[in-house]
């Protein structure tokens, strides 16, 4: 992976390896409406070994073929479709996503432990039929980072603090056998304390210093999120809407490396 000018020539092997590791923990959110725009963005990021996160807008427009295209180019793929249905339906959906070859997908923890366990069962069935595949990381959405405590209490109907709810859902996800959760970076440390250091924490709501908050309520900078224990950072508009998306991504990776 390329380096900024200030980094050339003065790094140890360990420093280079750490930067590569952090690049692999950055998830670029391809929140664009069609394949053409996604390909333009990917072209600008070529050579950066980051995850690609495909959400509902792009997946509904482009379909499974685009996921196969990303995999053919060597990218790890997080398919962010947030399944939330009866266990049998989620089981079937998880089987299909595993057959597609994604590296991570998510379900809503609010669906309960039976539904979350069914996702794992569906993935395991796909691998049993096709041993060359692997079980993706299956993570649960706790509370969306756009959810404030007032919204959670008065509109969604869940009492208490956001942190209490997030930790309760994280424990349920761990009980169901899932690999981790999606949560804001503000809850990363308490989730790690409750569920252990190997329980993956995927954090959207990442905003470099000085960036717009957009529609996010609970945010942190990349360095702060890494220090709090986040395993993967999902970054959308600070990269995709930047004048120079490549430099924006490299700057975020550098901040993660220095955390």
């Amino acid at each position: 992976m390329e380096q900024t000018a200030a980094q050339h020539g003065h790094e140890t092997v360990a420093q280079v390896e750490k930067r590569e590791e952090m690049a692999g923990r950055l998830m670029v959110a391809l929140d664009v409406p069609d394949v053409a725009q996604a390909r333009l963005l990917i072209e600008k990021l070529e050579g950066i070994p980051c995850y690609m996160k495909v959400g509902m807008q792009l997946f509904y427009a482009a379909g499974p073929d685009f996921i196969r295209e990303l995999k053919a180019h060597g990218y790890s793929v997080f398919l962010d479709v947030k399944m939330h249905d009866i266990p049998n339906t989620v089981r079937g959906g998880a089987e299909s996503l595993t057959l597609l070859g994604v590296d991570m997908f998510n379900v809503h923890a609010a669906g309960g432990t039976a539904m979350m366990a069914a996702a794992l069962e569906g993935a395991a069935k796909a691998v049993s039929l096709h041993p060359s595949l692997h079980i993706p990381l299956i993570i649960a959405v706790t509370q969306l980072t756009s959810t404030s405590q007032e919204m959670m209490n008065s509109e969604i109907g869940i009492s208490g603090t956001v942190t209490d709810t997030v930790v309760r859902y994280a424990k349920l996800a761990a009980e169901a056998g899932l690999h981790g959760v999606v949560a804001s970076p503000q809850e990363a440390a308490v989730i790690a304390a409750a569920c252990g250091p190997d329980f993956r924490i995927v954090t959207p709501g990442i905003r470099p210093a000085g960036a717009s908050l957009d529609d996010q309520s609970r945010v942190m900078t990349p360095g702060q999120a890494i220090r709090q224990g986040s395993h993967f950072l999902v970054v959308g508009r600070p990269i995709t809407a930047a004048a120079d998306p490549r430099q924006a991504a490299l700057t975020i990776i550098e901040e993660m490396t220095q955390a």
Side-chain angles (χ1 to χ4, degrees):
M1 188 179 73
E2 69 181 65
Q3 302 168 332
T4 62
Q7 295 158 358
H8 278 298
H10 302 288
E11 290 192 314
T12 66
V13 171
Q15 288 172 320
V16 173
E17 289 177 346
K18 185 176 181 183
R19 183 169 289 104
E20 293 281 339
E21 176 201 345
M22 291 299 169
R25 292 168 63 178
L26 172 64
M27 296 179 156
V28 176
L30 298 178
D31 293 334
V32 294
D34 55 52
V35 171
Q37 292 188 47
R39 286 174 179 153
L40 283 174
L41 179 59
I42 291 167
E43 183 178 339
K44 294 174 182 177
L45 299 174
E46 185 177 357
I48 300 176
C50 55
Y51 249 87
M52 293 295 175
K53 185 186 83 72
V54 177
M56 287 182 276
Q57 182 181 25
L58 182 56
F59 187 62
Y60 293 163
D65 283 346
F66 182 65
I67 304 300
R68 297 186 183 100
E69 180 179 328
L70 287 173
K71 293 301 300 178
H73 281 85
Y75 285 108
S76 295
V77 177
F78 169 23
L79 188 52
D80 180 18
V81 290
K82 301 182 179 71
M83 288 192 289
H84 188 176
D85 214 310
I86 63 172
N88 191 57
T89 298
V90 169
R91 183 182 295 109
E95 181 180 352
S96 294
L97 296 186
T98 303
L99 290 172
L100 190 54
V102 302
D103 301 277
M104 179 186 292
F105 68 85
N106 55 3
V107 301
H108 267 287
T113 53
M115 188 206 77
M116 289 189 277
L120 208 59
E121 293 165 4
K125 180 180 178 183
V127 172
S128 72
L129 296 173
H130 299 273
S132 61
L133 295 172
H134 65 276
I135 293 181
L137 295 174
I138 307 175
I139 59 175
V141 178
T142 53
Q143 287 294 311
L144 300 175
T145 51
S146 59
T147 301
S148 64
Q149 183 168 321
E150 181 182 1
M151 180 192 299
M152 190 186 78
N153 295 159
S154 63
E155 297 182 25
I156 302 174
I158 300 175
S159 61
T161 68
V162 171
T163 298
D164 290 341
T165 300
V166 167
V167 172
R168 183 171 69 252
Y169 279 157
K171 288 179 177 178
L172 289 175
E175 180 183 331
L178 266 56
H179 305 102
V181 290
V182 182
S184 97
Q186 295 182 10
E187 292 101 36
V190 291
I191 291 170
C195 301
D198 295 329
F199 192 68
R200 272 73 158 201
I201 303 169
V202 179
T203 53
I206 302 299
R207 290 292 183 271
S212 169
L213 297 183
D214 298 307
D215 56 359
Q216 302 290 329
S217 294
R218 308 192 320 278
V219 302
M220 278 190 184
T221 67
Q224 289 172 330
I226 291 294
R227 287 190 292 271
Q228 287 294 312
S230 299
H231 294 88
F232 296 98
L233 308 189
V234 177
V235 183
R237 284 162 285 193
I239 292 175
T240 61
D244 185 343
R246 182 180 199 83
Q247 187 55 53
L250 291 172
T251 299
I252 289 171
I253 292 167
E254 181 60 23
E255 183 175 346
M256 294 167 67
T257 302
Q258 298 300 322

